[in-house]
Amino acid sequence: MGEKRRMENHLAGKKEKGKTFFDLSRRKFLKLTAMAGLSVGAMGIQQPSKASPSQSSTGFGNKAKGKWIPTSCLNCTARCGIMVKVVNGNAIQIKGNRSSLISEGQICPRGHIGLQVLYDPERILSPLKRTQTKKGKGISPQWQPITWDQALEEITKKLRSLQESQKPHHLLIFSGLNSRSHEDLLFRFAEAFGTPNLVSGEGLELESEKAGIWMADGHFDLCAYDLDQTNYILSFGADLIESSPPVARWLRKWGRLRREKPIRTKIVEIQPRFSLTAAKSDEWIPIKAGTDAALAMAIAHVIIQEGLFDQKFIREWTHGFEAYRQIVLRDYAPEKVSKLTGIPSETIIRVAEEFGRTRPALAISGKGATAWPGGSFTSYAIHCLNALVGSIDAPGGLLYEEPPAYRPFPNLPRDEVAKRGLEQPPLDLHGTENFLAARIVTNQVPKSILEGKPYPIEMAIGFNSNLNMVAPGCKQWEEALQKIPFYVHVAPFISEMAEYADLVLPATTFLEEWGYDHSTPGAGFVEVRLKQPVVKPMGNSKPIGDILFHLVEKLPGGVRSAFKDIGESTAGFVRYRTSSLVPWEEFLKSGVWRGPDYQYGKYARIFQTPSRKFEFVSGNLRVLQMKKGRNTGEEKIAPHYSEVKWAGDEGQYPLLLFPYQPLLTFGNGSQNYPWAQEIFLPMQGVGWVSPAEINPETAKSLKVKDRDEVWIESPFGKIKTYVKVSEGIQPGMVCIPWGQGHTSYGKWQKGIGCNPNEVMGIDFDSISGQSAFFNTRVKVYKA
Amino acid sequence: MAKWGMVIDLDKCVGCQACLVACKEENNVPHGSPEEQKSRRDIFWHKMIAVTSGKYPHVRVEVIPMPCMQCDHPPCVTVCPAKATFKREDGIVVQYFRRCIGCKYCMVACPYGARSFNYKVQETKPYHRQDDPPDRKSWEPWPFPTRTQGVVEKCTFCFHRIDQGLKEGKKIGIEVVPACVESCPSQARIFGDLEDPQSPVSRILASRASFRLREDLHTLPKVIYLSRS
Ligand code: SF4
Ligand code: SF4
Ligand code: SF4
């Protein structure tokens, strides 16, 4: 009897050959069905609610009529089209906008949580000024409310002085999760002001995945997937239904992949941890952490050896196949790779054959496989599997999504100060010797600030960023933030990063502002969503767009004129930029504009490589290396596996720290939302916590039990949490979810759980500048 | 008379818990707190359980979204001394808050842990729904916009939606479904009339292997799961 069948019988209470599968007594069932299965461990909770419980029995009409307004969600980078129901000026319900086809009108649970974002009782509603001169973790800034005029005056005074002293590049701008329209305005502002230092958190996400794709075909971007037609998915640590962008698209398409196609798509999840995605997949292949590249190459080995590859595509549209073939056949035999990855060679061969024989098939890489030093080559190796089976720009395969053609900005007025500022080397050192192909190296920034190199930073403005929480090595960020002489934080909440600000400006949430948005690549076709205010801005909060339009008013000519003729206000700007796509009235009504259907097989123009073909040996990388006077030979610019460089000595730190991203905190800087908190970890059936999960074997060797309080210590620090013993974790690993461990604001998040980034080492993928997240060793001992 | 039932396809379900949040949003079910979760006093009309079996690397976890099972033989109704809990003609098991004396017998009797007790006076939130509750003339007091302390509550199959939809002549199960069904991004849930062999619920049940939770107890749940294989 299959495991699945047994599980269902047992859930149904059916007997199996005289015995139940395991004795599921009523008590046990009830225990399982109670949400709180575990002790909550090390958490100090803030003071009890200040809001007095009130039971108003009047005032609500039984038949209060509401209105549904289309707008766009911003709880993660998917930026789904949503409808918000507004009654008596209050937003009371959110659902997907059926006209948005990225996720077929569906949204993830976080979409609904937008209501608790908007009505978070701890939002800041007026500009705040720091009165405490000392900055540091745990030091209260002693905020004092000031007026918008005062705040903007202080900021523009400082900005003007940077311009006057011809040092516009000493301004650093951070951009967190913002609408595309706000991102575009920030970009315009930075360019007009003259700073090359507009830093996003993207260097912490999927840059190595993008670089791997770029090495092969010249696209430095994520690919889209033709999920309606694919029949086989090999996921390398992608956690497709928890943290693979665009999230809601994956949630919707999963239903289609399973039961809404003529052929049920087989899904194989490869990663060391038995994630929710692994549980919902057809097969889970636990792999030794950091060896995904070797596995991808071994799969290629089998496919090539057995002649299962797409001969026509390889012959006509690829370059360097022979060299790749030799490397793959020489170095990556399944038996050899089996030792590296811990996966039986029969499994490797079987999966490779399935992948090679099922058409169309997709290989997908995720953060778990690529956020490593050398991660670009892992992504490259995985990407090559798609080429082998002809899944490039083909039905059921990888798609190349182009961004929407918004109406361009008018030319920037010429400004000598700005021009010289922009010519300065960037603070994150992208494109330099250290990070050859990088576009953004987020985690290099604090180091540059601390060293004052290539120049000192005199002022920074952060828009919805929270880097000292989400980047590896939080301490480095804390020190860097302390060192910035003047820091302005713009956000609806006092995040960990805001604690270091000299001024805080209250931004609106996404439900109170104008904007346009489109998802990260995913669907193939493009779609733009209108973001419109569904309720009035709370208190004195202002949209980021409005703040920028106000700011430039008081700045010298060049910057001011850069904001002329682009609509004069945030709403006007949105109208200006989308006028090339859709008439305004129509956009207001539907909230969604969609581009033409995807065209497959554009081979003659999609490959941006020296050979104008898909390259198994990267000409793009060779060109860059030559420019820097380096030549490393073919093997080093073809996909390959290299052994992981661990942070921490194995003897002293025997375990691997392997954090993971639950859906309910994906892409989100804050967690002050009880609806998300109470159901945070569905696989464990608990909320409000972040346990350290370890295999029973590991627990035994460490002499710790379930629910024991422990320290997780690395060479870089230690954090405290409690142990959850779990069969779904590979022995020798410690798995902790991301998203908790907040030290700032909000009684529903502050002091709850721990943040694995605090004990993580700082390391990069040298090609893309991607931060490494998984190569830190730790030890675990009783607290 | 229709008999309303819900089918949840565990093969399509992604365990995202949108159903849990949408239920709270629809029915103003209060959110909990760390303390309430520890003492199991947080209220869920819809919850999710994870059932684990096997040893590494052959582990399996089945996550199961659970509204009230809407039993056709509901033990909660049998034990209620105040007749506060009863089964409507269309099979939906509901709760008269005015009659509930808070004895919690039903909570003990329910084999699925579907019921919650209102331990405290709940806060009113700006996002609480004030529209379209069931007909107040017969149902006051009702959990929205305010709740009643000291009574037991549970999932209602969103009967207010169904009743309203029927009044407006809408097709139940197609145009009108409970909030959890509407919000399910993978479209793993179907709602409809189990008595009507042509309804989508009946049709899919005829074509796939299905099971109910704890069939051995003969509670005859009207929430039916489709197996993964
Ligand atoms: S699941 Fe529990 S509460 Fe629901 S009808 Fe059955 S016994 Fe009653
Ligand atoms: S049917 Fe309605 S009340 Fe019941 S779980 Fe679903 S949303 Fe909640
Ligand atoms: S909303 Fe749908 S997919 Fe998500 S957990 Fe609920 S039933 Fe499963």
Side-chain angles (χ1 to χ4, degrees):
Chain A
M1 179 175 284
E3 188 70 22
K4 270 184 201 165
R5 171 68 49 210
R6 265 197 291 166
M7 168 90 78
E8 273 143 20
N9 283 351
H10 122 73
L11 289 170
K14 283 179 192 153
K15 294 256 176 164
E16 183 190 306
K17 286 210 189 92
K19 65 166 174 52
T20 42
F21 173 50
F22 58 72
D23 176 31
L24 191 76
S25 65
R26 181 172 172 279
R27 252 187 72 193
K28 185 148 185 190
F29 195 80
L30 278 180
K31 204 171 127 206
L32 269 172
T33 63
M35 280 291 296
L38 279 177
S39 104
V40 199
M43 350 174 287
I45 292 304
Q46 286 298 291
Q47 350 54 345
S49 164
K50 272 174 261 110
S52 65
S54 69
Q55 191 177 25
S56 78
S57 52
T58 54
F60 291 145
N62 204 5
K63 290 271 176 279
K65 276 280 166 289
K67 190 164 82 181
W68 287 97
I69 304 173
T71 184
S72 188
C73 180
L74 192 61
N75 267 343
C76 83
T77 53
R79 309 163 142 108
C80 294
I82 52 172
M83 304 289 289
V84 183
K85 190 168 194 185
V86 179
V87 178
N88 299 337
N90 279 347
I92 58 153
Q93 205 163 21
I94 296 179
K95 64 181 183 187
N97 184 344
R98 297 293 188 250
S99 339
S100 165
L101 290 193
I102 296 287
S103 52
E104 293 178 26
Q106 300 293 337
I107 53 172
C108 81
R110 302 251 312 286
H112 303 269
I113 288 164
L115 295 175
Q116 292 190 333
V117 176
L118 171 65
Y119 294 116
D120 186 335
E122 298 183 63
R123 277 183 60 177
I124 39 171
L125 302 175
S126 121
L128 301 172
K129 189 181 159 75
R130 178 182 207 97
T131 58
Q132 163 69 264
T133 44
K134 254 181 73 189
K135 294 181 183 177
K137 199 171 177 174
I139 297 173
S140 163
Q142 297 178 0
W143 301 118
Q144 194 189 353
I146 57 170
T147 66
W148 271 101
D149 283 345
Q150 273 173 294
L152 291 181
E153 184 51 42
E154 269 196 51
I155 296 167
T156 45
K157 207 170 95 198
K158 189 78 199 162
L159 288 172
R160 276 198 306 268
S161 89
L162 284 180
Q163 286 252 326
E164 278 152 21
S165 57
Q166 318 247 327
K167 292 182 295 189
H169 53 292
H170 289 204
L171 171 69
L172 169 60
I173 300 172
F174 298 111
S175 174
L177 180 57
N178 290 309
S179 283
R180 303 283 183 186
S181 47
H182 285 161
E183 282 177 354
D184 291 348
L185 281 173
L186 284 173
F187 189 77
R188 179 82 171 171
F189 179 81
E191 219 185 344
F193 191 82
T195 177
N197 299 312
L198 173 56
V199 171
S200 75
E202 266 176 280
L204 309 172
E205 298 303 327
L206 296 166
E207 290 301 288
S208 48
E209 183 169 332
K210 296 178 195 169
I213 294 167
W214 167 82
M215 283 194 258
D217 63 29
H219 289 82
F220 204 100
D221 204 350
L222 301 175
C223 274
Y225 305 109
D226 192 7
L227 299 178
D228 288 345
Q229 301 189 64
T230 195
N231 288 329
Y232 197 93
I233 293 179
L234 258 189
S235 155
F236 291 83
D239 272 340
L240 303 171
I241 48 174
E242 292 139 280
S243 55
S244 204
V247 174
R249 179 175 174 79
W250 276 106
L251 301 185
R252 167 73 279 273
K253 293 294 181 183
W254 196 267
R256 185 174 301 281
L257 290 165
R258 298 343 219 125
R259 293 282 173 180
E260 296 167 28
K261 302 170 54 248
I263 301 174
R264 184 177 195 277
T265 307
K266 176 163 181 179
I267 304 173
V268 178
E269 176 73 19
I270 304 159
Q271 62 156 309
R273 188 180 65 90
F274 190 66
S275 63
L276 179 60
T277 306
K280 285 286 180 183
S281 296
D282 298 281
E283 186 171 350
W284 170 50
I285 302 182
I287 184 172
K288 227 169 101 193
T291 63
D292 298 74
L295 177 63
M297 298 295 275
I299 291 173
H301 178 108
V302 178
I303 290 176
I304 291 175
Q305 200 172 47
E306 299 189 15
L308 300 175
F309 55 92
D310 184 328
Q311 315 261 4
K312 185 162 181 285
F313 179 77
I314 299 290
R315 201 174 49 239
E316 290 174 8
W317 291 110
T318 68
H319 184 260
F321 181 67
E322 191 43 40
Y324 168 75
R325 193 182 75 95
Q326 280 178 20
I327 297 171
V328 157
L329 292 183
R330 187 190 66 211
D331 295 342
Y332 297 97
E335 300 70 39
K336 189 169 157 197
V337 170
S338 169
K339 289 198 195 82
L340 286 171
T341 56
I343 303 169
S345 53
E346 310 82 71
T347 308
I348 299 178
I349 295 168
R350 177 178 50 80
V351 167
E353 285 174 349
E354 283 176 9
F355 181 75
R357 291 210 164 97
T358 318
R359 299 283 158 82
L362 266 173
I364 296 179
S365 64
K367 195 166 175 177
T370 60
W372 293 82
S376 292
F377 285 103
T378 305
S379 159
Y380 192 6
I382 295 166
H383 195 40
C384 285
L385 294 179
N386 289 312
L388 283 182
V389 297
S391 283
I392 302 290
D393 201 22
L398 279 184
L399 310 179
Y400 294 78
E401 190 173 319
E402 280 163 17
Y406 296 113
R407 180 172 166 192
F409 282 95
N411 282 340
L412 261 190
R414 250 191 107 71
D415 179 325
E416 280 310 311
V417 178
K419 196 169 150 256
R420 276 198 300 277
L422 288 173
E423 281 163 1
Q424 300 291 323
L427 205 60
D428 69 347
L429 307 184
H430 74 261
T432 63
E433 190 68 14
N434 299 3
F435 306 109
L436 263 193
R439 310 289 156 105
I440 170 81
V441 192
T442 312
N443 226 15
Q444 171 62 35
V445 170
K447 191 153 178 264
S448 297
I449 295 175
L450 287 168
E451 289 172 354
K453 274 186 205 155
Y455 38 80
I457 286 304
E458 294 179 42
M459 172 177 181
I461 315 179
F463 295 88
N464 280 321
S465 46
N466 203 12
L467 291 161
N468 51 330
M469 184 78 196
V470 296
C474 309
K475 226 214 244 112
Q476 183 191 237
W477 275 99
E478 284 153 13
E479 285 162 8
L481 288 168
Q482 265 172 54
K483 202 182 157 195
I484 298 173
F486 187 60
Y487 176 51
V488 182
H489 191 83
V490 188
F493 319 106
I494 299 283
S495 62
E496 282 69 21
M497 199 156 161
E499 299 275 356
Y500 291 85
D502 297 273
L503 277 177
V504 179
L505 303 182
T508 43
T509 65
F510 59 88
L511 292 174
E512 305 160 283
E513 58 193 23
W514 290 99
Y516 53 80
D517 257 326
H518 62 269
S519 308
T520 41
F525 58 84
V526 288
E527 194 183 274
V528 177
R529 268 86 60 185
L530 174 68
K531 191 174 70 162
Q532 55 181 321
V534 301
V535 294
K536 284 203 205 78
M538 215 176 264
N540 274 323
S541 59
K542 283 191 201 301
I544 287 173
D546 292 9
I547 296 173
L548 288 173
F549 273 103
H550 282 308
L551 265 185
V552 296
E553 282 294 302
K554 300 184 178 163
L555 289 178
V559 192
R560 195 165 359 122
S561 42
F563 276 64
K564 282 273 168 319
D565 306 320
I566 54 167
E568 318 304 327
S569 67
T570 318
F573 172 69
V574 173
R575 192 170 172 166
Y576 171 91
R577 289 276 280 166
T578 54
S579 63
S580 56
L581 307 171
V582 54
W584 185 243
E585 297 306 321
E586 209 177 287
F587 204 22
L588 277 179
K589 220 160 68 213
S590 72
V592 177
W593 170 83
R594 191 166 44 258
D597 286 351
Y598 190 78
Q599 299 290 321
Y600 303 100
K602 307 176 293 299
Y603 299 137
R605 65 181 179 89
I606 53 170
F607 300 125
Q608 294 156 23
T609 55
S611 65
R612 297 276 144 202
K613 290 182 173 178
F614 185 101
E615 296 189 346
F616 286 103
V617 176
S618 179
N620 279 337
L621 189 56
R622 181 186 287 133
V623 170
L624 271 194
Q625 288 189 339
M626 304 253 269
K627 262 194 214 153
K628 303 279 174 196
R630 265 202 269 158
N631 191 354
T632 44
E634 226 163 44
E635 309 251 322
K636 287 275 156 62
I637 54 172
H640 62 270
Y641 159 76
S642 47
E643 216 179 299
V644 177
K645 205 167 83 229
W646 297 99
D649 165 65
E650 185 168 357
Q652 211 182 341
Y653 302 100
L655 304 172
L656 311 183
L657 176 63
F658 200 78
Y660 65 99
Q661 182 60 63
L663 172 60
L664 285 155
T665 43
F666 174 65
N668 196 342
S670 172
Q671 173 70 340
N672 200 38
Y673 314 121
W675 278 345
Q677 278 282 19
E678 61 187 355
I679 57 172
F680 182 47
L681 300 175
M683 291 277 279
Q684 293 81 353
V686 279
W688 309 103
V689 290
S690 56
E693 287 174 80
I694 54 176
N695 187 280
E697 227 175 74
T698 316
K700 212 164 123 195
S701 70
L702 293 172
K703 300 194 174 61
V704 295
K705 302 185 304 301
D706 214 30
R707 303 187 198 200
D708 275 355
E709 296 252 311
V710 287
W711 287 105
I712 318 289
E713 187 177 325
S714 78
F716 316 101
K718 58 179 187 176
I719 47 175
K720 196 158 119 183
T721 184
Y722 75 93
V723 166
K724 163 100 178 82
V725 177
S726 162
E727 292 288 351
I729 310 292
Q730 205 170 68
M733 300 186 49
V734 187
C735 294
I736 301 177
W738 272 305
Q740 305 279 18
H742 284 272
T743 55
S744 176
Y745 120 94
K747 75 171 192 172
W748 302 122
Q749 69 171 24
K750 187 171 170 175
I752 291 178
C754 64
N755 181 4
N757 292 341
E758 280 180 31
V759 296
M760 216 172 273
I762 296 160
D763 206 345
F764 302 92
D765 169 50
S766 61
I767 303 281
S768 64
Q770 160 86 42
S771 277
F773 277 93
F774 304 102
N775 62 335
T776 302
R777 292 188 161 280
V778 293
K779 61 181 171 188
V780 172
Y781 52 93
K782 258 197 210 162
Chain B
M1 186 88 212
K3 188 181 265 185
W4 303 118
M6 192 185 290
V7 171
I8 304 180
D9 185 344
L10 294 179
D11 199 26
K12 290 173 89 177
C13 171
V14 288
C16 70
Q17 308 186 91
C19 43
L20 277 78
V21 181
C23 176
K24 292 213 158 181
E25 189 185 17
E26 171 80 10
N27 294 304
N28 293 349
V29 180
H31 66 72
S33 63
E35 294 77 13
E36 281 163 305
Q37 189 164 106
K38 246 191 273 189
S39 57
R40 297 185 194 169
R41 289 184 173 198
D42 42 6
I43 302 179
F44 285 93
W45 285 15
H46 186 301
K47 64 187 170 185
M48 191 140 98
I49 63 168
V51 186
T52 311
S53 64
K55 294 228 169 297
Y56 179 91
H58 304 291
V59 59
R60 279 187 60 79
V61 176
E62 199 69 75
V63 289
I64 304 175
M66 286 178 69
C68 159
M69 296 292 119
Q70 301 291 350
C71 309
D72 221 29
H73 289 167
C76 57
V77 169
T78 318
V79 300
C80 177
K83 302 259 179 294
T85 273
F86 61 97
K87 196 173 89 178
R88 304 202 317 181
E89 241 179 278
D90 59 3
I92 302 181
V93 177
V94 282
Q95 178 97 352
Y96 237 125
F97 297 103
R98 222 184 334 215
R99 285 207 200 125
C100 176
I101 56 172
C103 68
K104 303 187 203 161
Y105 283 10
C106 56
M107 290 178 71
V108 180
C110 170
Y112 304 101
R115 297 177 157 261
S116 308
F117 186 70
N118 238 309
Y119 278 94
K120 61 180 191 198
V121 178
Q122 301 289 353
E123 279 174 53
T124 302
K125 307 278 185 186
Y127 54 78
H128 274 172
R129 295 194 47 200
Q130 308 140 27
D131 61 325
D132 303 335
D135 188 353
R136 286 297 192 84
K137 280 197 281 305
S138 48
W139 281 100
E140 206 159 356
W142 187 252
F144 41 98
T146 56
R147 319 187 81 77
T148 312
Q149 186 185 10
V151 300
V152 173
E153 53 181 86
K154 70 159 193 77
C155 153
T156 62
F157 252 17
C158 288
F159 74 82
H160 56 288
R161 284 187 171 211
I162 299 169
D163 293 356
Q164 184 67 27
L166 286 173
K167 235 189 264 167
E168 291 168 10
K170 296 216 169 111
K171 289 196 207 89
I172 308 300
I174 295 160
E175 292 166 282
V176 176
V177 292
C180 51
V181 177
E182 183 179 66
S183 69
C184 173
S186 72
Q187 291 171 13
R189 308 170 78 111
I190 317 175
F191 187 83
D193 184 1
L194 293 171
E195 305 266 84
D196 173 5
Q198 288 315 312
S199 71
V201 271
S202 305
R203 284 219 301 268
I204 198 147
L205 285 172
S207 70
R208 295 259 310 266
S210 64
F211 65 96
R212 303 160 199 236
L213 295 178
R214 298 300 308 267
E215 279 167 14
D216 52 328
L217 298 171
H218 305 293
T219 49
L220 299 181
K222 292 193 289 292
V223 173
I224 304 163
Y225 295 89
L226 298 179
S227 314
R228 285 179 65 186
S229 47

